[in-house]
Amino acid sequence: MVKLSPSIFGADFGRLNEQIKAVEDCNVEMLHIDVMDGNYVPNIAFGPDQIAMLRPHTDLFFDVHMMVMEPDRYIERIVKAGAQMITVHAEATTHLHRSLMLIKSFGVKCGVVLNPATPPDVLKYVLDDIDMVLVMTVNPGGGGGSFNPTMIEKVREIKEMIGDRDIDIQVDGGVNSDNVKSLVDAGANVIVAGSFAFTGDVAKNLDDLRKAADA
């Protein structure tokens, strides 16, 4: 079953509670929260304090994507703030396996993020330790970027690597109702939508996305 994870980074922050309620009403499975440090990526967004402020306002599953150098420094605080899944970039940590084990030590799910140019081979020796692979279909750290169609084949390759393991494949970046079906057919089952979800009618956008994904 395809799961939707609207990215709060694409929301109107002046109407944040209203927009969170809108995605809740659409019965989405997760809320995607981007943490950016202005170092690993050029943007700055969200941190443990902001995640903690969000937590009392929704029961949605918090899917936290860390675009942060040396993420181990912040993992405990982000868990305490309310994260239920934390994904880290393979290049952002010196010891990927250690970072994943740290996340799991707090009883939350963990995953690895692959940038468009990051080869799937980095997953080879951690596949038995992760719950999710996040395939970036744009370069990270922006918002509203153009979808990279070559990532469809990358998703297919990762799906083959995973085999029968219970690992989600998430896609993030420029995903919309026109391209989501090709990603799902390749093996993706968790869809992040930021600009597409929150521009205009949230309910219609997410309904269109789910219908296209399930077509």
Side-chain angles (χ1 to χ4, degrees):
M1 185 183 74
V2 173
K3 294 175 272 192
L4 300 186
S5 187
S7 174
I8 200 69
F9 188 62
D12 179 348
F13 279 57
R15 301 186 296 129
L16 197 52
N17 279 344
E18 174 190 330
Q19 299 224 295
I20 290 174
K21 180 64 165 58
V23 298
E24 285 179 327
D25 290 345
C26 295
N27 297 314
V28 301
E29 289 77 12
M30 304 177 181
L31 188 67
H32 191 79
I33 303 172
D34 290 319
V35 177
M36 307 184 200
D37 66 354
N39 185 9
Y40 183 71
V41 291
N43 224 326
I44 296 174
F46 280 93
D49 292 344
Q50 288 72 42
I51 295 170
M53 290 174 191
L54 280 177
R55 186 70 279 180
H57 297 283
T58 179
D59 292 326
L60 285 171
F61 182 96
F62 276 12
D63 158 32
V64 177
H65 171 195
M66 293 187 69
M67 289 175 259
V68 173
M69 289 301 298
E70 300 178 27
D72 295 20
R73 295 175 296 160
Y74 305 103
I75 285 169
E76 183 174 5
R77 289 180 61 200
I78 285 175
V79 171
K80 289 180 177 178
Q84 292 155 290
M85 162 80 77
I86 297 176
T87 52
V88 294
H89 282 258
E91 299 91 349
T93 174
T94 305
H95 302 287
L96 178 59
H97 183 264
R98 180 185 294 166
S99 297
L100 296 169
M101 293 302 99
L102 178 60
I103 296 168
K104 293 182 77 169
S105 74
F106 294 108
V108 301
K109 294 185 175 184
C110 69
V112 178
V113 191
L114 304 184
N115 289 327
T118 307
D121 289 354
V122 300
L123 300 169
K124 185 174 180 181
Y125 296 107
V126 297
L127 278 176
D128 291 323
D129 301 305
I130 60 177
D131 302 287
M132 180 183 284
V133 178
L134 168 49
V135 178
M136 293 301 300
T137 46
V138 298
N139 287 310
S146 298
F147 175 75
N148 183 338
T150 63
M151 295 300 101
I152 297 169
E153 182 56 36
K154 187 174 186 176
V155 169
R156 187 173 288 112
E157 183 179 346
I158 291 167
K159 180 65 175 175
E160 291 176 3
M161 288 178 67
I162 288 171
D164 60 1
R165 296 175 180 88
D166 184 18
I167 300 174
D168 288 321
I169 300 178
Q170 184 177 68
V171 286
D172 179 8
V175 180
N176 57 43
S177 55
D178 293 327
N179 56 37
V180 68
K181 179 61 175 171
S182 59
L183 291 161
V184 170
D185 287 345
N189 70 312
V190 182
I191 310 301
V192 175
S195 300
F196 180 82
F198 289 104
T199 301
D201 187 331
V202 173
K204 182 182 185 303
N205 296 340
L206 292 175
D207 184 56
D208 288 348
L209 191 63
R210 197 183 291 277
K211 285 177 178 175
D214 291 337

